[in-house]
Amino acid sequence: MKFILNVLWLILSGLWMAIGYVVAGIICCILIITIPFGIASFRIAGYALWPFGRTTVERRDAGAGSVIGNVIWVIFAGWWLALGHIITGIALCVTIIGIPFGIANFKMVPLSLLPLGREIVPTDQPFATR
């Protein structure tokens, strides 16, 4: 079932959102100081391509650096990625078939705003990394 949901997700919104994350990652990697943001963006791009069967958990070792980094991320890239998730989620919720995918887009908004200090894990082990 996860495979079918992921394929439908890829067609309906995953590809476009992943492209947005890859573009943000490339822009961040051009500047030396923002390479950690680029790496986080590439990590989330993979999650945006194939989200069903995986979830995000908070990392225990994330400290003040991730908080400061998340503030910088929101200012420069997070807000427009979150806006993309919101617009795509609203568009998908117009149809009955798209409602689960729209809800999945809305669930990705917090991750797109605050990606640092989060880890993507399979859904069968969300608490194994804690």
Side-chain angles (χ1 to χ4, degrees):
M1 188 65 174
K2 288 186 256 184
F3 179 77
I4 294 170
L5 288 172
N6 279 321
V7 170
L8 288 172
W9 170 267
L10 183 67
I11 294 167
L12 295 175
S13 70
L15 183 62
W16 310 115
M17 292 311 301
I19 289 171
Y21 283 107
V22 168
V23 169
I26 290 170
I27 292 170
C28 288
C29 285
I30 289 173
L31 303 170
I32 303 293
I33 199 158
T34 56
I35 287 176
F37 303 120
I39 293 169
S41 185
F42 292 139
R43 184 173 32 95
I44 298 171
Y47 181 61
L49 272 177
W50 211 253
F52 293 99
R54 299 190 291 172
T55 188
T56 61
V57 294
E58 195 173 315
R59 291 182 58 175
R60 286 184 154 200
D61 59 348
S66 66
V67 173
I68 295 168
N70 279 330
V71 170
I72 294 169
W73 173 262
V74 167
I75 293 170
F76 291 107
W79 68 271
W80 64 269
L81 289 168
L83 186 63
H85 280 295
I86 292 169
I87 291 170
T88 306
I90 291 170
L92 286 170
C93 283
V94 171
T95 65
I96 293 173
I97 294 172
I99 290 173
F101 301 108
I103 292 170
N105 259 305
F106 295 138
K107 287 182 180 179
M108 290 185 75
V109 170
L111 178 65
S112 67
L113 286 173
L114 308 170
L116 302 176
R118 307 283 300 172
E119 187 174 358
I120 299 168
V121 297
T123 53
D124 55 348
Q125 56 177 333
F127 301 106
T129 59
R130 291 185 171 198

